[in-house]
Amino acid sequence: MREFKIVARIVLLWGCLLFIPLGQSLAQNKDLKKVTFLPMWVPQPQFAGYYMAKEKGIYARHGLDVTIVTGGFTQDVLGSLKSGTVTFGTMFLYSGVMERARGTKIVNIAQIFQQSAIMFVAKKKSGIKTLQDFNGKKIGIWRTTVRELTTGFLSKHHIKAEIIPFNNAINLFLDDAVDVTVMMNYNEYKRMINSGVNPDEVTVFPFAEYGMDFPEDGIYCMENTIAKDPGLCREFVDASIEGWDYALSHADETTAVISKYKILAKVPANVSHSSWMLNRVREIIHPPNKPVQMGTLLKSDFDSLADFLFDNAFIASKPSFQEFFRTLR
């Protein structure tokens, strides 16, 4: 067993050395502009384009020395942007619109995801077949992430149920402690399947099919960042989109790189799950029924979300689209 552990460590070290970023030597160039970027969660294919832009030297070719900070519960993207701790970060569109409505000078400089991936999932054995069957049930929702969207969804459909807040797991659902739970179709849904629940044992209620198809991940910064150096923002967006194009075109290489970053961040690395997630993310970035150039935020999507937040009293006024979204391409 001791020999096996030693070999495993050697293999892991070799694998990390094998994937030393192409842009590492370029990043030592003093002429590169230093940038700090914070994804909203730990390394996973949800952020593949940014990791590949760094790994393949794309950021460096655009004149940037980018440090990617590992996200997670202890990392607040909004707070980090406001304090100047990071230059750019990813956030859900709804979070950005809500914060802009509160007066924070935050701006969306590239909308990457073009569809909603959020859905409620119920086990068929619970007898839940329609939304109205949610009434009187126990519903698990994330304690912090997309709370307004999930509670707003229930309010929109006049559902009265017991809300069970949780952090980031599907154990409550697997153990039947809740009848319905919120999931992302590119993440927790696959975890559920890997845990032994077959797709034909559940009923899914995608938000996108119930009048709430609000795009999610986008790239954000503060207004003063654009005012100070618009070229920096433009290069970061262009390089990130180039990184996404590369990631989606080189799936096997991308999942291997993501696994490396997962190991470095000390989070579980599962190549099968990563491959599945990357395929789902591709569908969200390039929806077949919505031909939108990557990086574009449609005003109709912004207006639909702003109306929802305003109608449900999550914001007191609707922010200006022109002030919120700054197209740089």
Side-chain angles (χ1 to χ4, degrees):
M1 178 62 70
R2 181 174 179 273
E3 289 78 4
F4 174 79
K5 290 182 178 179
I6 293 174
V7 171
R9 288 171 182 168
I10 294 173
V11 171
L12 176 59
L13 177 61
W14 177 83
C16 290
L17 292 174
L18 180 64
F19 287 107
I20 290 176
L22 177 63
Q24 188 177 58
S25 60
L26 293 174
Q28 295 173 357
N29 189 326
K30 295 181 180 179
D31 293 333
L32 298 182
K33 294 181 179 180
K34 293 189 178 297
V35 169
T36 307
F37 171 67
L38 176 59
M40 69 182 89
W41 194 239
V42 297
Q44 60 183 26
Q46 180 183 358
F47 315 110
Y50 314 109
Y51 286 105
M52 294 311 290
K54 180 176 177 65
E55 194 74 15
K56 304 304 293 184
I58 297 172
Y59 282 133
R61 283 196 287 101
H62 282 260
L64 306 175
D65 176 7
V66 177
T67 297
I68 301 180
V69 181
T70 299
F73 282 122
T74 61
Q75 297 288 357
D76 174 18
V77 176
L78 179 61
S80 297
L81 287 172
K82 292 168 69 174
S83 68
T85 306
V86 301
T87 320
F88 304 104
T90 63
M91 292 172 56
F92 281 6
L93 179 61
Y94 103 94
S95 299
V97 173
M98 284 186 60
E99 200 58 34
R100 185 77 199 194
R102 292 167 178 160
T104 303
K105 300 300 183 181
I106 190 169
V107 291
N108 179 316
I109 56 175
Q111 184 61 42
I112 304 301
F113 286 14
Q114 295 295 336
Q115 281 189 330
S116 171
I118 307 170
M119 58 187 184
F120 277 125
V121 180
K123 292 180 182 177
K124 290 183 178 178
K125 68 180 184 181
S126 68
I128 298 174
K129 298 179 181 178
T130 69
L131 286 180
Q132 293 311 308
D133 295 331
F134 283 25
N135 283 291
K137 301 294 186 179
K138 294 181 179 179
I139 301 179
I141 67 171
W142 290 308
R143 194 180 304 279
T144 54
T145 309
V146 302
R147 184 177 179 87
E148 290 81 4
L149 292 186
T150 48
T151 57
F153 180 97
L154 299 177
S155 176
K156 174 183 174 69
H157 296 283
H158 309 291
I159 295 168
K160 303 295 184 183
E162 181 181 356
I163 302 300
I164 309 295
F166 65 94
N167 287 329
N168 181 46
I170 58 171
N171 295 339
L172 292 178
F173 183 69
L174 295 176
D175 294 338
D176 296 326
V178 295
D179 305 295
V180 184
T181 194
V182 64
M183 294 184 183
M184 288 292 184
N185 69 6
Y186 57 75
N187 195 356
E188 290 82 9
Y189 184 72
K190 183 62 162 60
R191 285 196 224 163
M192 176 197 74
I193 295 173
N194 290 344
S195 298
V197 179
N198 294 323
D200 60 3
E201 295 181 275
V202 299
T203 302
V204 299
F205 302 86
F207 282 29
E209 296 180 10
Y210 290 89
M212 291 179 59
D213 190 9
F214 306 138
E216 289 155 8
D217 294 29
I219 301 175
Y220 289 82
C221 69
M222 303 303 293
E223 270 190 2
N224 58 12
T225 301
I226 292 183
K228 181 180 179 181
D229 195 341
L232 173 72
C233 300
R234 183 179 303 107
E235 293 300 339
F236 184 79
V237 168
D238 287 346
S240 296
I241 289 177
E242 188 178 336
W244 270 113
D245 287 338
Y246 188 93
L248 298 178
S249 301
H250 300 79
D252 291 342
E253 180 183 357
T254 297
T255 53
V257 168
I258 293 298
S259 293
K260 183 195 77 168
Y261 279 99
K262 279 177 169 286
I263 292 170
L264 293 175
K266 296 180 173 58
V267 297
N270 184 310
V271 174
S272 174
H273 183 76
S274 291
S275 297
W276 193 90
M277 184 186 289
L278 187 61
N279 284 330
R280 285 289 184 272
V281 166
R282 178 185 290 104
E283 296 170 0
I284 297 168
I285 292 176
H286 296 298
N289 61 341
K290 188 179 181 182
V292 181
Q293 182 181 15
M294 195 190 311
T296 299
L297 173 60
L298 296 179
K299 187 175 185 300
S300 57
D301 285 337
F302 172 88
D303 288 340
S304 178
L305 174 59
D307 288 343
F308 169 82
L309 294 173
F310 180 77
D311 292 344
N312 284 275
F314 292 127
I315 58 176
S317 62
K318 302 175 191 177
S320 163
F321 175 74
Q322 288 72 22
E323 293 179 352
F324 175 76
F325 178 61
R326 307 297 177 88
T327 180
L328 299 170
R329 310 195 81 206

